[in-house]
Amino acid sequence: MDTLTLNNDVAMPALGLGVFQTPPDETRAAVEAALRTGYRHVDTAAAYGNEREVGEAIHASGLARDDVFIETKIWISDYGYDETLHGFEKSAAKLGVEKVDLLILHQALPSAFDRTVEAYRALERLLDEGRVRAIGVSNFMVDHLTTLLEKSTVVPAVNQIEVHPYFQQRGVQAFGVEHGILTQAWSPIGGITFYRDGSHGSTLDDPVIGEIAGAHGKSAAQVMLRWHLQRGRSVIPKSTRPHRIAENIDVFDFVLSEDELAAVDGLDTGRRGGPEPTDITLERFGRPIPEA
């Protein structure tokens, strides 16, 4: 497994298992399958409602705690300094750990950005106390990052954003490169383009990607994951099917040429599949995160 070095020198496996929209009763089996296959990085979130099952699978694996990189997220309902500290306690208890490897803010909250900043200050405290190894953000655009950097002391290690061949957010990625913030791609094979809005078309059926896949004897999904990795991004593909979980990690034995990388780069439509970051409000998206 390749690793990426974060801006505070923490090593993170480049590819992990995502569990977004994975029902709790399927999460444990998916994580167990991933760990058996060789995954050593799991990305979850308080809002997913499956942190407990992620923790159970990791503990049942027999792997040493330090061998598995655990990433989770604070939901907007728990933003604010004290609220976020408590949000961490809830997540850590559900995961059954004392320390989280990467803790990030799940969304910017533009309508209450002061609360977002206070939440990030809480992450800085947790980092300083050694309760988390790295901190970051998710779905932050350039203006959110700019303001956050002006009001904080620790540069986020990661910005987890929607990135796939049909939506690449190059401006956000470039800002991250400039400031040492690693881009982590959610929906890295473009699943959101066909399960949320079918008008995008499916990246899995894209002829450009299909031709590259055929040339390498790989699947379209494997080509997309390899494209991300060679462009220096972290990826967290999700699946509950053991054969897909195994397929997604089998991407370290081939290399795309510069022409092939450029061909995938050229597929960007500029159309977002997920919600607009500016639309995130407590009124629309806030919901209580249960206690542990």
Side-chain angles (χ1 to χ4, degrees):
M1 171 66 71
D2 291 354
T3 60
L4 295 165
T5 302
L6 304 181
N7 60 17
N8 64 345
D9 294 328
V10 167
M12 179 180 74
L15 187 149
L17 177 74
V19 294
F20 172 61
Q21 290 189 332
T22 302
D25 60 352
E26 298 178 27
T27 297
R28 178 166 175 161
V31 176
E32 287 177 343
L35 295 175
R36 285 196 303 270
T37 306
Y39 288 71
R40 293 296 181 266
H41 176 184
V42 182
D43 169 76
T44 183
Y48 297 169
N50 55 20
E51 288 174 307
R52 193 180 311 279
E53 290 73 21
V54 167
E56 289 172 352
I58 292 171
H59 288 291
S61 71
L63 294 166
R65 168 64 189 90
D66 290 347
D67 288 342
V68 183
F69 192 98
I70 299 175
E71 175 178 359
T72 193
K73 311 175 192 72
I74 301 291
W75 187 239
I76 57 174
S77 304
D78 284 338
Y79 282 10
Y81 188 77
D82 291 334
E83 295 89 341
T84 295
L85 292 175
H86 184 57
F88 165 78
E89 297 289 350
K90 290 190 288 187
S91 288
K94 291 171 187 175
L95 289 162
V97 299
E98 294 183 357
K99 180 184 293 187
V100 169
D101 296 291
L102 176 60
L103 183 64
I104 64 180
L105 301 183
H106 205 142
Q107 299 275 355
L109 193 55
S111 61
F113 204 77
D114 286 348
R115 290 185 64 174
T116 307
V117 172
E118 288 299 302
Y120 192 78
R121 286 186 56 241
L123 266 56
E124 291 179 321
R125 173 177 167 178
L126 293 166
L127 179 67
D128 184 61
E129 292 177 348
R131 305 190 71 189
V132 300
R133 297 176 63 218
I135 61 175
V137 295
S138 179
N139 300 305
F140 274 49
M141 300 297 97
V142 170
D143 56 335
H144 306 140
L145 292 168
T146 300
T147 303
L148 186 68
L149 290 176
E150 291 171 351
K151 298 186 175 185
S152 59
T153 58
V154 177
V155 176
V158 165
N159 186 17
Q160 185 187 118
I161 58 175
E162 178 186 349
V163 182
H164 47 77
Y166 288 175
F167 188 63
Q168 298 178 29
Q169 304 209 71
R170 291 175 185 164
V172 183
Q173 290 198 64
F175 187 92
V177 170
E178 180 183 352
H179 293 275
I181 304 169
L182 177 72
T183 294
Q184 184 175 69
W186 65 259
S187 193
I189 64 172
I192 198 165
T193 66
F194 47 87
Y195 70 69
R196 181 166 291 179
D197 181 358
S199 67
H200 280 73
S202 172
T203 50
L204 295 173
D205 298 326
D206 188 277
V208 172
I209 296 171
E211 183 177 350
I212 297 170
H216 290 275
K218 292 289 186 176
S219 70
Q222 288 171 319
V223 166
M224 286 183 271
L225 293 171
R226 186 68 207 173
W227 166 71
H228 284 291
L229 294 169
Q230 287 186 228
R231 288 302 193 210
R233 292 184 288 271
S234 165
V235 288
I236 44 169
K238 65 155 287 187
S239 181
T240 58
R241 302 176 183 178
H243 72 285
R244 293 294 185 198
I245 289 170
E247 176 185 309
N248 287 342
I249 200 176
D250 186 21
V251 293
F252 296 99
D253 61 349
F254 73 108
V255 176
L256 301 179
S257 70
E258 284 301 320
D259 286 346
E260 289 170 332
L261 292 170
V264 180
D265 289 342
L267 298 176
D268 191 9
T269 68
R271 294 180 59 196
R272 186 184 301 277
E276 287 290 339
T278 53
D279 292 343
I280 302 298
T281 64
L282 280 170
E283 291 72 24
R284 289 188 62 190
F285 293 93
R287 62 181 181 274
I289 300 300
E291 298 292 331

